[in-house]
Amino acid sequence: MLTERPSIILITGIMASGKSTVAQLLSERFEKSVHLRGDIFRRMIVNNRKEVHPDAGSDELNQLRLRYRLAAQSADAYFQVGFTVVVQDVVIGPMLNDFISYIQSRPFYVVVLCPNSSVVILRESARIKKGYGVWTVEGLDSLLRNETPRIGMWLDSSELTPDETVNVSFFVHLSNGSRA
């Protein structure tokens, strides 16, 4: 376990790209750490929750921004008391810039998991929980690759195990790369 100066690390990518597994494994490497699952803030809404779909309107996008602000505020609060925070969420497209602007603490790192869509389709079919409904893997992957700002470390984890993905992400973190 590492004891070092706290930081915030965002692990993002499309559904079934390995975010949950990688974020958990990475957070376990630090002596004082938090694995913050941003989707928890979406799931807390009991009534009138707006799901984001390909043709989302302002209500859906406003709820998504709220989710990101709450995740960022929580990450900052944990960071301020000495935790390294690994935030895991689908933060893609132009809204990556929004999320980055919500994080006040530094250092802040971004890791974008971007395995190829055929690997994501295989992973999705093997999962108990299903993330895709109105979205297709290809549609979300296109949004990731064509509309997401090239910020941080983009990692094609298609041929990597979760531990290998964490090792690459961790190395970049220690070498001060991928800062937002």
Side-chain angles (χ1 to χ4, degrees), residues 10 12-13 96 110-114 144 148 151 153-156:
L10 171 64
T12 188
L96 178 58
V110 176
V111 177
V112 180
L113 300 181
C114 51
L144 172 74
T148 304
I151 297 170
M153 179 181 71
W154 285 58
L155 181 58
D156 180 350

Side-chain angles (χ1 to χ4, degrees), residues 32-86:
K32 193 172 181 184
S33 63
V34 172
H35 174 185
L36 181 61
R37 294 159 178 87
D39 188 52
I40 191 77
F41 298 106
R42 177 189 66 85
R43 290 186 283 138
M44 284 182 186
I45 299 174
V46 175
N47 290 313
N48 203 28
R49 178 170 58 208
K50 307 291 185 186
E51 302 296 343
V52 178
H53 52 81
D55 298 320
S58 61
D59 287 346
E60 293 86 357
L61 296 178
N62 286 338
Q63 277 193 15
L64 184 59
R65 283 185 193 92
L66 173 61
R67 164 180 156 180
Y68 292 162
R69 281 195 316 273
L70 291 169
Q73 290 168 355
S74 296
D76 281 329
Y78 281 116
F79 175 90
Q80 290 167 7
V81 294
F83 286 94
T84 290
V85 184
V86 181

Side-chain angles (χ1 to χ4, degrees), residues 141-159:
D141 188 63
S142 176
L143 177 61
L144 172 74
R145 294 179 193 279
N146 299 319
E147 297 183 41
T148 304
R150 294 289 171 162
I151 297 170
M153 179 181 71
W154 285 58
L155 181 58
D156 180 350
S157 56
S158 300
E159 303 296 322

Side-chain angles (χ1 to χ4, degrees), residues 97-134:
N97 285 324
D98 293 341
F99 188 90
I100 290 169
S101 75
Y102 302 147
I103 297 285
Q104 300 302 305
S105 304
R106 297 293 184 268
F108 173 45
Y109 304 92
V110 176
V111 177
V112 180
L113 300 181
C114 51
N116 68 56
S117 58
S118 62
V119 168
V120 172
I121 290 168
L122 283 173
R123 290 177 184 174
E124 176 69 6
S125 69
R127 292 180 352 154
I128 293 171
K129 71 174 186 176
K130 300 299 179 195
Y132 290 90
V134 288

